[in-house]
Amino acid sequence: MKLRMLRCLRHSKTHTHDLESTAVAATANTPEQIKQQCNDMQKKFQEPIKILLLGTAESGKTTIIKQMRILHINGYTNDERRDQIPEIYQNIHESVYQLVQHMTILGLEYQSCASRNSAAYIMSLGETAPEYMDEEYCDHVMTLWNDLGIRTCFGRSNEFPLLDSTKYKSFDFLDNFERISDYDYIPSTEDILHSRKVTTGIHKITFRVKIPKTLGGGEQEFRMYDVGGQRDQRNKWIQAFEGIQAVLFLISCADFDQSLREDPLQNRLQEALNLFRGVWQNRFLASAGIIVFLNKQDIMERKIRTGTHIVDYFPEFEEFCNSPQAENYFDECDWTKKFIKQKLIDITQEPVKRPSRNKMDYSKRECYYHFTVATDTSCIRKVFNDVHQMILHEHMANVALL
């Protein structure tokens, strides 16, 4: 099964055929020639693997980049952790500012005069966080966070764009505000993973992963590219398409009840599905393997457990649950994951509007799916190890060593 899955990360048909022809030719050569050819193939085997991260904004792409740094580049030094403080402060301030802003929009009332004064103070600062969190600022934030009106607004946050680091998690910045506002605060790894900064342009991370001795030893170089997911950033994506062997497409499972920041009338999950269709059918990515990370399943499950249901936003979910299935589920979370995955599968089976120049047969192309929690390092370690092993086995199979 695993070897069959490896095809999603092949370089190209031409490259594979070249390697196979070389391996066959090697059987008729002298031992010295065979040794040289094996060395040449080993060099090809160790060429950098280029992976492109795609998906809508806030789907978790940058978090994957951070995880690669934690797993493969020794994480963050204390100085680098301190460099993350302004970003975390901005996340907190932006969240409080949005909650205060939407109190009026949603017609909600504050619990006390003190809360109203604190709201006025936050609004007077504007959208940019203060450089330092002094005592006055901290008192106002805590007053607001303990206000029943703000908590009610927080409970309706699917009606406006609020950062995931503020909601639906056992961990969030506002519940940890006292620790974060301390003068000697140094961000933890979890803080860094939960922080968010809008990605603009193209960002690259290079790292090396050890190859098991049973597969020849040494190291494999990976180059992973992160591009902004906002609509106004997608025109830059094509600049990163050249030489890409695999695409990791991230979709937030938890976005089924939210709208885009850029377009309040567009459902976020539907936007992600539309975007996936464009990536799957893009002729410049026809030879690249596609792996989908169905991310933020932890947040999705918390939403469902607290009474938010995908059927209210995708009415066809009810029909899907009543249709004949290969597997029956009793849990709504499992049905929701199955439904979203089936949406993607259906897209891969649609007729291609603009076939690739190499006349690729899309009916034989495969797409692979993983349900992930990008902020969970153990989860990402396991998933990436699977991806890495697939790459290693594919290369070895290509050079006839398996």
Side-chain angles (χ1 to χ4, degrees), residues 10-193:
R10 62 183 178 269
H11 286 286
S12 67
K13 291 184 178 179
T14 302
H15 183 58
T16 301
H17 291 162
D18 288 345
L19 287 173
E20 290 173 348
S21 299
T22 302
V24 171
T27 61
N29 292 338
T30 66
E32 292 76 13
Q33 290 173 322
I34 293 174
K35 183 177 180 180
Q36 181 59 47
Q37 288 171 340
C38 286
N39 288 336
D40 292 342
M41 287 186 285
Q42 181 69 10
K43 289 179 181 178
K44 289 184 179 180
F45 173 73
Q46 292 183 347
E47 289 177 355
I49 299 296
K50 297 180 180 179
I51 300 177
L52 180 61
L53 296 173
L54 295 179
T56 57
E58 301 178 62
S59 58
K61 300 185 300 298
T62 302
T63 306
I64 295 295
I65 291 287
K66 293 177 181 178
Q67 290 283 22
M68 294 303 102
R69 179 169 182 171
I70 292 167
L71 291 170
H72 303 296
I73 317 180
N74 299 321
Y76 296 83
T77 67
N78 276 348
D79 286 341
E80 290 169 336
R81 291 174 184 275
R82 291 188 184 94
D83 290 340
Q84 302 293 316
I85 291 178
E87 181 178 310
I88 293 171
Y89 281 2
Q90 181 60 36
N91 285 178
I92 291 173
H93 182 78
E94 180 181 339
S95 298
V96 175
Y97 186 87
Q98 287 177 341
L99 287 169
V100 170
Q101 195 174 44
H102 283 83
M103 284 288 290
T104 302
I105 295 173
L106 298 177
L108 300 174
E109 296 291 335
Y110 292 101
Q111 182 184 18
S112 66
C113 291
S115 296
R116 284 192 289 273
N117 291 335
S118 294
Y121 173 83
I122 292 296
M123 293 301 292
S124 70
L125 297 177
E127 297 182 2
T128 303
E131 185 176 358
Y132 301 102
M133 290 190 170
D134 57 25
E135 186 176 352
E136 181 183 18
Y137 179 86
C138 294
D139 287 344
H140 285 303
V141 169
M142 291 307 299
T143 297
L144 288 168
W145 188 230
N146 291 321
D147 185 89
L148 290 178
I150 284 287
R151 293 288 182 150
T152 301
C153 185
F154 169 82
R156 295 175 60 181
S157 57
N158 67 300
E159 300 176 36
F160 59 93
L162 189 65
L163 293 177
D164 285 335
S165 56
T166 316
K167 58 181 180 177
Y168 303 120
K169 294 182 180 288
S170 57
F171 168 91
D172 60 59
F173 286 150
L174 287 175
D175 278 340
N176 284 267
F177 183 69
E178 186 175 352
R179 173 179 62 84
I180 292 172
S181 61
D182 187 84
Y183 179 79
D184 296 320
Y185 168 64
I186 297 178
S188 66
T189 298
E190 192 172 33
D191 292 341
I192 293 171
L193 288 172

Side-chain angles (χ1 to χ4, degrees), residues 182-282:
D182 187 84
Y183 179 79
D184 296 320
Y185 168 64
I186 297 178
S188 66
T189 298
E190 192 172 33
D191 292 341
I192 293 171
L193 288 172
H194 284 85
S195 66
R196 179 184 181 271
K197 184 178 182 180
V198 175
T199 301
T200 57
I202 302 171
H203 300 268
K204 180 182 77 171
I205 184 172
T206 300
F207 55 93
R208 305 187 71 85
V209 180
K210 289 184 178 180
I211 300 171
K213 291 182 179 179
T214 55
L215 296 178
E219 293 183 332
Q220 174 71 60
E221 181 179 316
F222 283 84
R223 296 176 185 174
M224 189 173 282
Y225 299 84
D226 178 23
V227 293
Q230 297 83 2
R231 284 180 173 179
D232 61 357
Q233 294 293 311
R234 295 174 196 169
N235 61 340
K236 302 175 184 177
W237 285 11
I238 195 170
Q239 301 173 35
F241 285 177
E242 185 177 357
I244 292 298
Q245 282 106 352
V247 172
L248 296 186
F249 191 91
L250 275 81
I251 288 181
S252 171
C253 292
D255 282 354
F256 64 81
D257 66 333
Q258 294 177 259
S259 59
L260 287 182
R261 289 178 183 268
E262 309 98 305
D263 181 2
L265 298 179
Q266 174 68 320
N267 179 277
R268 283 197 191 187
L269 178 56
Q270 187 58 57
E271 176 84 354
L273 294 171
N274 295 342
L275 188 58
F276 175 75
R277 178 181 289 106
V279 170
W280 177 259
Q281 297 195 358
N282 190 296

